[in-house]
Coordinates of all heavy atoms in Angstrom, one line a residue:
R21 N 3.2 2.1 6.3 CA 2.7 2.2 7.7 C 1.5 3.1 7.8 O 0.5 2.7 8.4 CB 3.8 2.7 8.6 CG 3.7 2.4 10.1 CD 4.6 3.2 11.0 NE 4.5 4.7 10.7 CZ 3.5 5.4 11.1 NH1 2.5 4.9 11.8 NH2 3.5 6.7 10.8
R22 N 1.5 4.2 7.2 CA 0.4 5.2 7.2 C -0.8 4.6 6.6 O -1.9 4.7 7.1 CB 0.8 6.5 6.6 CG 1.3 7.5 7.6 CD 1.4 8.9 7.1 NE 2.7 9.1 6.5 CZ 2.9 9.4 5.2 NH1 1.9 9.6 4.4 NH2 4.1 9.6 4.7
K23 N -0.6 4.0 5.4 CA -1.8 3.5 4.6 C -2.4 2.3 5.3 O -3.6 2.2 5.3 CB -1.3 3.2 3.2 CG -2.4 2.8 2.3 CD -3.5 3.8 2.1 CE -3.2 4.8 1.1 NZ -4.3 5.7 0.8
V24 N -1.6 1.4 5.8 CA -2.2 0.2 6.5 C -3.0 0.6 7.7 O -4.1 0.1 8.0 CB -1.0 -0.8 6.8 CG1 -1.6 -2.0 7.7 CG2 -0.4 -1.4 5.5
A25 N -2.5 1.6 8.4 CA -3.2 2.1 9.6 C -4.6 2.7 9.2 O -5.6 2.5 9.8 CB -2.4 3.2 10.3
E26 N -4.6 3.4 8.1 CA -5.8 4.0 7.5 C -6.8 2.9 7.1 O -8.0 3.0 7.5 CB -5.4 4.8 6.3 CG -6.3 5.8 5.8 CD -5.7 6.5 4.5 OE1 -4.6 7.1 4.6 OE2 -6.3 6.3 3.4
V27 N -6.3 1.9 6.4 CA -7.2 0.9 6.0 C -7.8 0.1 7.2 O -8.9 -0.3 7.3 CB -6.6 0.0 4.9 CG1 -7.4 -1.3 4.6 CG2 -6.3 0.7 3.6
G28 N -6.9 -0.2 8.2 CA -7.3 -0.9 9.4 C -8.4 -0.1 10.1 O -9.4 -0.7 10.6
A29 N -8.3 1.2 10.1 CA -9.3 2.1 10.8 C -10.6 2.0 10.0 O -11.7 2.0 10.6 CB -8.7 3.5 10.9
R30 N -10.5 2.0 8.7 CA -11.7 2.0 7.9 C -12.5 0.7 8.1 O -13.7 0.6 8.3 CB -11.4 2.0 6.4 CG -11.5 3.4 5.8 CD -11.2 3.4 4.3 NE -12.2 2.7 3.5 CZ -12.1 2.2 2.3 NH1 -10.9 2.3 1.7 NH2 -13.1 1.7 1.7
I31 N -11.7 -0.4 8.1 CA -12.3 -1.7 8.4 C -13.0 -1.8 9.8 O -14.1 -2.2 9.9 CB -11.3 -2.9 8.2 CG1 -10.9 -3.0 6.7 CG2 -11.8 -4.2 8.8 CD1 -9.8 -4.0 6.4
S32 N -12.3 -1.2 10.8 CA -12.8 -1.2 12.1 C -14.2 -0.4 12.2 O -15.1 -0.8 12.9 CB -11.8 -0.5 13.1 OG -10.6 -1.2 13.0
R33 N -14.2 0.7 11.4 CA -15.5 1.4 11.4 C -16.6 0.7 10.6 O -17.7 0.5 11.1 CB -15.2 2.8 10.7 CG -14.6 3.8 11.5 CD -14.8 5.2 10.9 NE -14.2 5.3 9.6 CZ -12.9 5.6 9.3 NH1 -12.1 5.8 10.3 NH2 -12.5 5.7 8.0
D34 N -16.2 0.2 9.4 CA -17.2 -0.4 8.6 C -17.8 -1.7 9.2 O -19.0 -2.1 8.9 CB -16.6 -0.8 7.2 CG -16.2 0.4 6.4 OD1 -16.6 1.5 6.8 OD2 -15.6 0.2 5.3
Y35 N -17.0 -2.4 10.0 CA -17.5 -3.7 10.6 C -17.8 -3.6 12.1 O -17.9 -4.6 12.8 CB -16.5 -4.8 10.3 CG -16.5 -5.3 8.9 CD1 -15.7 -4.6 7.9 CD2 -17.2 -6.4 8.5 CE1 -15.7 -5.0 6.6 CE2 -17.2 -6.8 7.2 CZ -16.5 -6.1 6.3 OH -16.5 -6.5 4.9
A36 N -17.9 -2.3 12.6 CA -18.2 -2.1 14.0 C -19.5 -2.9 14.4 O -20.5 -2.9 13.7 CB -18.4 -0.7 14.3
G37 N -19.4 -3.7 15.5 CA -20.6 -4.5 15.9 C -20.6 -5.9 15.3 O -21.4 -6.7 15.7
K38 N -19.7 -6.1 14.4 CA -19.6 -7.4 13.8 C -18.3 -8.1 14.1 O -17.4 -7.4 14.7 CB -19.7 -7.3 12.2 CG -21.0 -6.7 11.7 CD -21.0 -6.6 10.2 CE -22.3 -6.0 9.7 NZ -22.2 -5.7 8.3
E39 N -18.1 -9.3 13.8 CA -16.8 -9.9 14.1 C -16.3 -10.6 12.8 O -16.5 -11.8 12.6 CB -16.9 -10.9 15.2 CG -15.6 -11.4 15.7 CD -15.7 -12.4 16.9 OE1 -16.5 -12.1 17.8 OE2 -14.9 -13.4 16.9
P40 N -15.8 -9.8 11.8 CA -15.4 -10.4 10.5 C -14.4 -11.5 10.6 O -13.6 -11.5 11.6 CB -15.0 -9.2 9.7 CG -14.5 -8.2 10.7 CD -15.4 -8.4 11.9
L41 N -14.4 -12.3 9.6 CA -13.3 -13.3 9.5 C -12.3 -12.9 8.4 O -12.7 -12.7 7.2 CB -13.9 -14.7 9.1 CG -12.9 -15.8 8.8 CD1 -12.2 -16.2 10.1 CD2 -13.6 -17.0 8.2
I42 N -11.1 -12.6 8.8 CA -10.0 -12.3 7.9 C -9.5 -13.6 7.3 O -9.1 -14.5 8.0 CB -8.9 -11.6 8.6 CG1 -9.3 -10.3 9.4 CG2 -7.7 -11.3 7.7 CD1 -9.6 -9.1 8.6
V43 N -9.5 -13.6 6.0 CA -8.9 -14.8 5.3 C -7.7 -14.3 4.5 O -7.9 -13.7 3.5 CB -9.9 -15.5 4.4 CG1 -9.3 -16.7 3.7 CG2 -11.1 -16.1 5.3
A44 N -6.5 -14.6 5.0 CA -5.3 -14.2 4.3 C -4.9 -15.2 3.3 O -4.8 -16.4 3.6 CB -4.2 -14.0 5.4
V45 N -4.6 -14.8 2.1 CA -4.2 -15.7 1.1 C -2.7 -15.8 1.0 O -2.0 -14.8 0.7 CB -4.7 -15.2 -0.3 CG1 -4.4 -16.2 -1.4 CG2 -6.2 -14.9 -0.3
L46 N -2.2 -17.0 1.4 CA -0.7 -17.2 1.5 C -0.1 -17.5 0.1 O -0.9 -18.0 -0.8 CB -0.5 -18.4 2.4 CG -0.9 -18.1 3.9 CD1 -0.8 -19.4 4.7 CD2 -0.1 -17.0 4.5
S47 N 1.1 -17.3 -0.1 CA 2.1 -16.9 0.9 C 2.2 -15.3 0.9 O 2.5 -14.8 2.0 CB 3.5 -17.4 0.6 OG 3.4 -18.8 0.5
G48 N 1.9 -14.7 -0.2 CA 2.3 -13.3 -0.4 C 1.7 -12.3 0.6 O 2.3 -11.3 0.9
S49 N 0.6 -12.7 1.2 CA -0.1 -11.7 2.1 C 0.4 -11.7 3.5 O -0.2 -11.0 4.4 CB -1.6 -11.9 2.0 OG -2.0 -13.0 2.8
F50 N 1.4 -12.6 3.9 CA 1.6 -12.8 5.3 C 2.1 -11.6 6.0 O 1.7 -11.3 7.2 CB 2.6 -14.0 5.5 CG 4.1 -13.7 5.3 CD1 4.9 -13.6 6.3 CD2 4.6 -13.5 4.0 CE1 6.3 -13.3 6.1 CE2 5.9 -13.2 3.8 CZ 6.8 -13.1 4.9
I51 N 2.8 -10.7 5.4 CA 3.3 -9.5 6.1 C 2.2 -8.4 6.2 O 1.9 -7.9 7.2 CB 4.5 -8.9 5.4 CG1 5.7 -9.9 5.5 CG2 4.9 -7.5 6.0 CD1 7.0 -9.4 4.9
F52 N 1.5 -8.2 5.0 CA 0.4 -7.3 5.0 C -0.7 -7.7 6.0 O -1.2 -6.9 6.8 CB -0.2 -7.2 3.6 CG -1.4 -6.3 3.5 CD1 -1.5 -5.0 4.1 CD2 -2.5 -6.7 2.8 CE1 -2.6 -4.2 4.0 CE2 -3.7 -5.9 2.7 CZ -3.7 -4.7 3.3
A53 N -1.1 -9.0 6.0 CA -2.1 -9.4 6.9 C -1.7 -9.2 8.4 O -2.5 -8.8 9.2 CB -2.4 -10.9 6.6
S54 N -0.5 -9.5 8.7 CA -0.1 -9.3 10.1 C 0.0 -7.9 10.5 O -0.4 -7.6 11.7 CB 1.2 -10.1 10.4 OG 2.3 -9.6 9.6
D55 N 0.4 -7.0 9.6 CA 0.3 -5.6 10.0 C -1.1 -5.1 10.0 O -1.5 -4.3 10.9 CB 1.1 -4.7 9.0 CG 2.6 -4.8 9.2 OD1 3.0 -5.3 10.3 OD2 3.3 -4.4 8.3
L56 N -1.9 -5.5 9.0 CA -3.3 -5.1 9.0 C -4.1 -5.4 10.2 O -4.8 -4.6 10.8 CB -4.0 -5.6 7.7 CG -5.5 -5.2 7.5 CD1 -5.6 -3.7 7.2 CD2 -6.1 -6.0 6.4

Side-chain angles (χ1 to χ4, degrees):
R21 199 192 55 72
R22 265 191 275 121
K23 184 58 86 172
V24 173
E26 195 183 299
V27 171
R30 263 184 71 199
I31 289 174
S32 306
R33 280 196 302 276
D34 292 353
Y35 286 84
K38 299 178 180 170
E39 191 177 317
L41 177 65
I42 303 285
V43 174
V45 184
L46 297 172
S47 301
S49 75
F50 79 108
I51 293 178
F52 175 48
S54 59
D55 282 347
L56 179 70

